[in-house]
Amino acid sequence: MFASQVNSCLADGHQHDASEFQLFLLDALHEDTNQVTKRISFEQNYKGGSQIMNDAKDYEKKSRLFSCSPVNKIFNLQTVSELSCTACGEQSATFEECSLITVELPEHASRTSLHHCLSSHFSQTTLDGDCRWNCPKCRAPKPASRLTKLWSLPPVVVVHLKRFSMENGDYAKNTMPVEFDPGRLDLSEYLHEYSPESAEPYRLYAVTVGLVHLASSLSITHGM
């Protein structure tokens, strides 16, 4: 009953995971407490690089005219993704707010660590093939490097371990053990080098096993 009140999609008779329920719940709470009555949308046309701090200030100012609630202040972290065209060097930066970090588990391994998953998640990747970047300077799809880093951190960080994937039209679960220190999680190495944030270590607050055994999440909060 409560799940259907959060979002009608959760009462459709199908399986839903804990992270999906959390996203619906936080979104519902955010909408109920959103302090912005008239939203002003905006586009991001940031270049990043040496201008990244000015870009961040502009994004912060404009985003607060679109969405602002106590829920976001507690749970929302901010990331910045920087693209660089390998052909001409053109750069672009995009900021994003989200209420969790979803990390992939490695394939063909017997066990892993949360540190390894986070390091992989925030490592540099190459956009090529069908995923090439439509470079505004080259005016054509070009290979590009992409690096996503944390820009700001909330009091509570939720890490979602993506254990399920689709195989042959059905869900397949990765049951790999994930090691982590419940007393200390240091996210400072994943912060952007120009971020003004001083990342204090987090400690484990709660573990959520899938609502219908489809996912698991870690809720981590700042230590005292």
Side-chain angles (χ1 to χ4, degrees), residues 11-223:
D12 59 5
H14 294 89
Q15 292 181 328
H16 298 277
D17 63 34
S19 64
E20 187 176 8
F21 174 75
Q22 175 198 313
L23 288 172
F24 280 137
L25 177 60
L26 292 182
D27 183 64
L29 292 173
H30 161 69
E31 291 300 330
D32 285 346
T33 59
N34 192 359
Q35 298 166 354
V36 178
T37 56
K38 186 177 180 180
R39 295 183 175 181
I40 302 176
S41 59
F42 65 98
E43 294 183 359
Q44 297 190 49
N45 297 297
Y46 303 126
K47 294 293 185 180
S50 60
Q51 297 296 316
I52 192 71
M53 295 191 71
N54 290 332
D55 293 342
K57 291 178 181 178
D58 183 73
Y59 172 80
E60 181 75 15
K61 178 181 178 180
K62 291 178 178 177
S63 65
R64 293 299 169 260
L65 296 176
F66 180 79
S67 176
C68 184
S69 75
V71 176
N72 283 0
K73 292 177 182 178
I74 296 172
F75 290 98
N76 273 22
L77 56 88
Q78 194 177 104
T79 63
V80 58
S81 295
E82 292 185 280
L83 290 174
S84 179
C85 178
T86 58
C88 70
E90 178 72 1
Q91 292 183 313
S92 173
T94 303
F95 293 88
E96 183 179 3
E97 290 194 24
C98 49
S99 59
L100 55 77
I101 303 173
T102 298
V103 296
E104 303 273 354
L105 301 185
E107 297 180 357
H108 313 300
S110 59
R111 62 193 312 110
T112 188
S113 67
L114 184 58
H115 178 269
H116 179 275
C117 293
L118 288 168
S119 295
S120 177
H121 181 77
F122 290 110
S123 63
Q124 181 171 296
T125 58
T126 299
L127 304 181
D128 206 349
D130 293 337
C131 297
R132 289 177 297 173
W133 180 40
N134 192 18
C135 176
K137 187 174 182 179
C138 296
R139 297 185 179 181
K142 294 291 182 179
S145 63
R146 179 175 64 187
L147 183 62
T148 299
K149 291 291 185 180
L150 295 168
W151 186 263
S152 65
L153 291 166
V156 178
V157 170
V158 179
V159 181
H160 170 223
L161 307 178
K162 190 176 180 181
R163 290 191 175 276
F164 276 79
S165 60
M166 290 295 293
E167 291 185 7
N168 300 320
D170 200 1
Y171 283 107
K173 183 179 181 180
N174 187 335
T175 59
M176 178 188 307
V178 179
E179 300 173 350
F180 61 92
D181 182 353
R184 181 181 177 84
L185 175 64
D186 187 357
L187 296 176
S188 59
E189 66 178 282
Y190 312 117
L191 280 171
H192 192 282
E193 60 178 324
Y194 291 124
S195 169
E197 194 87 3
S198 56
E200 297 181 7
Y202 287 81
R203 61 179 174 82
L204 182 67
Y205 178 76
V207 176
T208 304
V209 179
L211 186 65
V212 284
H213 308 294
L214 286 184
S216 57
S217 299
L218 308 176
S219 296
I220 304 167
T221 184
H222 278 300

